[in-house]
Amino acid sequence: MEKATKLKDLFKGPGLIRLVGAHNGIGAKLIEKAGFDGVWASGLEISASYGIPDASLISMYQFVEAARSMNEVIDIPLVADCDTGYGNAINVMYMVKRYEEAGIAAVVIEDKQFPKDNSLLASGRQELLRVEEFEGKIEAAKVAQRDSDFMVIARIEALIAGWGQEEAQMRAHRYVDAGADAILIHSKSKDPQEIIEFVTAWDRDIPLVLVPTTYSSLKESEIHELGKVKMVIYANHGLRASMKAMETVFDKIKKDGGIYDLDELIDPVDHVFDLQGVSQMKENERKFLR
Ligand code: SPV
Ligand code: MG
């Protein structure tokens, strides 16, 4: 089954769809192994993996290749963070074709101006796009897609930019009318009240998507009770967990003057080989190497 159809089926099914962010194949595999429904190809994580800011610095091809490399090694669907769509509506059409070719189930585009800044950045430039221009991008994306199950998710940055609930609701309605399959409403508030207010006021039959990075006190059971929200994205917890683990191990090697006391803190190499699919490769070698 196509990944787009798998994701569409999850949207039709009961319960919350849970995604975790990744930037490479091993991270994506660990998310699948942990039992999550899908992988979020996080722009923040992919940019961070280059050691550079999440500010539209790397190209669409670098993002699509990161998404492709993750998608190829998992069976669960991948939802790609496509920032602003890498330009105008014409760039979005080109982008949708490339992501669909890579087997990606859905793309998320946000209504900020290119080049964007990360939404959680305290000093971030949170410059919103004109509504008409973003409607054009959504319409263009929907025209460009080939598989009718492929989803185009519109991400609203009005709360991030401090433009308020009314603006966020107006934009969400306009983007749904333009053809968006779901609305990702983003917030950087620590208090979940901002998101709860938006979700409570939402009156359209189009699912909402949340990224509760800052309002982390909001549990899945509470999100489920709100209704209307179908997908939750834990956007960058793999990156942050692995950074902390690496920092701890590197500090310890430095302090200990060697690697003799690390086994508790690191996975055995065999676990790396397992995740790489080495046993399958060996089986193929037995069959085909003559
Ligand atoms: C990402 O993971 O790249 C996101 C979520 O877009 S956020 O970092 O909160 O903007
Ligand atoms: Mg992003």
Side-chain angles (χ1 to χ4, degrees):
M1 193 195 285
E2 295 292 333
K3 296 280 188 75
T5 307
K6 277 192 184 176
L7 183 66
K8 250 300 165 51
D9 286 350
L10 287 173
F11 268 89
K12 287 182 200 146
L16 210 52
I17 305 166
R18 298 178 307 163
L19 265 54
V20 178
H23 59 270
N24 63 19
I26 209 88
K29 279 190 169 188
L30 286 169
I31 292 164
E32 178 169 54
K33 193 165 167 278
F36 287 95
D37 303 303
V39 168
W40 165 246
S42 160
L44 171 63
E45 285 213 11
I46 296 166
S47 304
S49 76
Y50 282 83
I52 58 168
D54 177 23
S56 304
L57 296 178
I58 57 174
S59 72
M60 188 270 286
Y61 266 110
Q62 286 165 296
F63 280 112
V64 81
E65 280 311 313
R68 183 201 308 275
S69 69
M70 290 188 254
N71 190 52
E72 276 175 0
V73 294
I74 52 172
D75 289 324
I76 52 176
L78 183 139
V79 176
D81 174 7
C82 295
D83 290 348
T84 61
Y86 314 109
N88 65 19
I90 307 306
N91 296 78
V92 168
M93 294 180 91
Y94 186 76
M95 174 209 103
V96 164
K97 288 196 164 68
R98 302 292 83 77
Y99 276 83
E100 258 205 291
E101 277 167 9
I104 306 307
V107 290
V108 176
I109 50 173
E110 64 195 56
D111 61 351
K112 284 214 302 253
Q113 292 179 32
F114 178 92
K116 54 142 268 180
D117 228 351
N118 182 269
S119 304
L120 307 180
L121 199 59
S123 57
R125 292 171 290 98
Q126 306 302 344
E127 300 152 344
L128 298 190
L129 205 64
R130 283 181 302 108
V131 176
E132 296 73 21
E133 196 176 344
F134 198 67
E135 286 171 321
K137 285 188 175 186
I138 296 164
E139 284 173 33
K142 293 306 291 176
V143 165
Q145 78 182 62
R146 299 236 166 94
D147 181 342
S148 60
D149 286 339
F150 181 82
M151 291 177 74
V152 175
I153 302 175
R155 164 166 161 178
I156 291 167
E157 294 279 294
L159 300 178
I160 294 284
W163 287 34
Q165 294 282 345
E166 214 175 296
E167 179 77 21
Q169 288 287 343
M170 180 274 287
R171 283 176 178 255
H173 281 79
R174 295 272 296 263
Y175 302 160
V176 167
D177 292 340
D181 298 294
I183 294 290
L184 189 162
I185 178 68
H186 205 10
S187 163
K188 62 180 175 195
S189 171
K190 281 199 164 63
D191 186 343
Q193 204 45 47
E194 183 173 71
I195 275 298
I196 293 172
E197 197 181 320
F198 182 93
V199 174
T200 308
W202 184 238
D203 60 359
R204 298 291 292 267
D205 195 21
I206 290 284
L208 298 176
V209 179
L210 301 186
V211 184
T213 309
T214 55
Y215 51 95
S216 55
S217 62
L218 193 65
K219 297 195 187 96
E220 285 174 8
S221 53
E222 294 163 310
I223 294 173
H224 186 67
E225 259 172 46
L226 288 173
K228 305 172 197 175
V229 179
K230 193 62 197 166
M231 183 187 276
V232 62
I233 302 174
Y234 303 121
N236 49 46
H237 298 78
L239 171 77
R240 288 159 64 195
S242 57
M243 279 171 59
K244 187 159 187 146
M246 283 193 273
E247 282 166 343
T248 304
V249 166
F250 300 161
D251 283 349
K252 188 159 164 57
I253 296 173
K254 199 86 190 299
K255 191 162 117 297
D256 290 355
I259 54 170
Y260 54 86
D261 184 29
L262 280 183
D263 289 355
E264 293 289 300
L265 292 177
I266 56 174
D267 273 329
V269 213
D270 279 347
H271 190 42
V272 181
F273 296 153
D274 278 350
L275 280 172
Q276 286 177 295
V278 168
S279 57
Q280 182 64 56
M281 181 185 76
K282 288 291 152 200
E283 203 180 310
N284 289 339
E285 281 183 1
R286 275 191 295 278
K287 273 195 217 151
F288 306 120
L289 294 190
R290 295 173 194 165

